[in-house]
Amino acid sequence: MSASGGTRAIVAALLANLSIAVAKFVAFLFSGSSSMLAESVHSVADSGNQGLLLLGGKRAQREATPQHPFGFGRERYIYAFLVSIVLFSVGGMFALYEGYEKIKHPHELEHWYWPVGVLIFAIIAEGFSFRTAIKESNPLRGKKSWKDFIRHAKAPELPVVLLEDLGALVGLVLALVGVGLALLTGNGVWDGIGTLCIGILLILIALVLAAETKSLLLGEAAGAEVVQQIETAIVAGDTVTGIIHMRTLHLGPEELLVAAKIAVHHDGTATEIAAAINAAESRIREATPIARVIYLEPDIYSDYEAAKGPDPEATPGGPAAPPADH
């Protein structure tokens, strides 16, 4: 992800949500609409979420230290995960509570033109923010569907802003429908039902965000296209005859670890093999600039050993070795 692109989308969302939050609170004070209160809290939570994303991006830029030799790139994943928690608790759960209270104790809306006017303004502002997020995401999305882009993006900011803005737009429409039905029927229960729908929507979005950012926190491999680029770069020289096995891991959205055992000629000298490894590393970095940490282990390829298949005990997370007999 382009850091500048992600920042533009975040800032646009932040400015939109701050202005919308103020307008919604004013509308709530004049009308007493629970949908407006839920939407106000939602906009405040979204503003805080954009602040968390900006903070995560800033902290991720710190230099590596002896205690954290691979840097702090994953801070962006941590703060994106915090966003999902805030959206679930402050946004979704509060809306469910407010909707329940409104249904239990309904009252007629006052000064209806305030919530209607503010909701229309909010839809326009959120539409601008959503358009900015789409515009910044399209170059990175390429030919992928929006679902695949959100599921497989290694940088969390744009998917988070996209889902937040989408949820905000749908939530505003739900609030407008709830307020409209309450005005038409004179029954404030519809306002509460609209609030409940907003809460359910926010919780669903928060769960999707939590699942995706959890996967990034656990550590994801590079995408298939990037893996193909790296494999092609490794075997492009004369000395490396093949890849025995390779693993990749994202240390951050723009930082990739590459570890591979490569096959070399059995009669190569140490000098030739070292030169081949250095050349392969240069080709990898040229083909995939985000490959910041590269470990290549030379070995002699053996058809007999390859036929045994991978060793599960050599795989992180594989079964532990049986205890030794005493």
Side-chain angles (χ1 to χ4, degrees):
M1 184 197 79
S2 168
S4 60
T7 301
R8 279 194 295 270
I10 296 171
V11 171
L14 176 61
L15 294 176
N17 282 311
L18 286 175
S19 61
I20 291 169
V22 173
K24 287 176 180 176
F25 270 123
V26 172
F28 162 70
L29 292 175
F30 279 96
S31 67
S33 167
S34 67
S35 292
M36 291 308 305
L37 179 58
E39 279 293 322
S40 302
V41 175
H42 176 198
S43 293
V44 171
D46 278 355
S47 300
N49 289 341
Q50 273 94 58
L52 286 173
L53 292 176
L54 291 172
L55 179 61
K58 182 69 175 178
R59 291 182 61 82
Q61 296 174 5
R62 290 179 294 166
E63 295 291 334
T65 65
Q67 188 176 5
H68 299 92
F70 293 114
F72 297 87
R74 287 195 182 182
E75 290 248 23
R76 287 166 67 178
Y77 301 152
I78 293 172
Y79 281 88
F81 188 75
L82 290 176
V83 165
S84 67
I85 296 174
V86 172
L87 193 62
F88 180 90
S89 57
V90 179
M93 295 304 292
F94 177 83
L96 288 182
Y97 170 78
E98 188 63 25
Y100 169 77
E101 287 294 318
K102 182 67 175 184
I103 293 174
K104 189 176 179 181
H105 306 289
H107 62 83
E108 189 175 349
L109 296 180
E110 302 172 358
H111 305 289
W112 61 269
Y113 43 84
W114 275 101
V116 171
V118 167
L119 286 172
I120 293 174
F121 162 74
I123 289 173
I124 295 172
E126 285 289 359
F128 168 76
S129 174
F130 192 40
R131 177 180 175 274
T132 302
I134 290 174
K135 183 178 178 182
E136 299 298 336
S137 300
N138 274 329
L140 301 171
R141 182 172 68 94
K143 297 181 179 179
K144 294 179 183 177
S145 66
W146 285 108
K147 177 182 176 182
D148 286 340
F149 173 69
I150 291 172
R151 289 196 61 187
H152 301 296
K154 305 304 180 184
E157 290 86 355
L158 284 175
V160 168
V161 173
L162 280 167
L163 285 176
E164 275 192 350
D165 286 349
L166 176 61
L169 280 172
V170 176
L172 288 166
V173 172
L174 291 173
L176 190 59
V177 170
V179 170
L181 289 174
L183 291 172
L184 289 174
T185 63
N187 189 349
V189 169
W190 286 108
D191 188 29
I193 293 174
T195 307
L196 283 179
C197 292
I198 293 170
I200 293 171
L201 172 69
L202 294 180
I203 288 175
L204 290 176
I205 290 176
L207 291 176
V208 172
L209 286 177
E212 296 305 320
T213 51
K214 173 192 171 186
S215 178
L216 292 170
L217 276 172
L218 289 175
E220 287 190 358
E225 183 178 347
V226 174
V227 170
Q228 182 61 47
Q229 291 175 350
I230 295 172
E231 291 176 343
T232 301
I234 289 176
V235 299
D238 296 330
T239 305
V240 179
T241 60
I243 299 172
I244 298 173
H245 61 72
M246 183 178 77
R247 293 187 180 91
T248 60
L249 178 68
H250 268 274
L251 302 173
E254 286 103 26
E255 295 175 288
L256 186 66
L257 181 148
V258 179
K261 178 174 282 192
I262 58 177
V264 297
H265 294 295
H266 68 278
D267 55 353
T269 65
T271 301
E272 291 172 340
I273 293 174
I277 291 175
N278 291 335
E281 290 180 352
S282 297
R283 292 194 299 270
I284 292 171
R285 289 192 170 93
E286 183 177 354
T288 311
I290 66 171
R292 306 287 177 82
V293 183
I294 303 173
Y295 299 111
L296 301 181
E297 177 186 354
D299 202 347
I300 307 300
Y301 180 81
S302 167
D303 289 328
Y304 174 76
E305 292 295 331
K308 294 181 180 179
D311 180 5
E313 294 181 4
T315 302
D325 295 331
H326 294 287

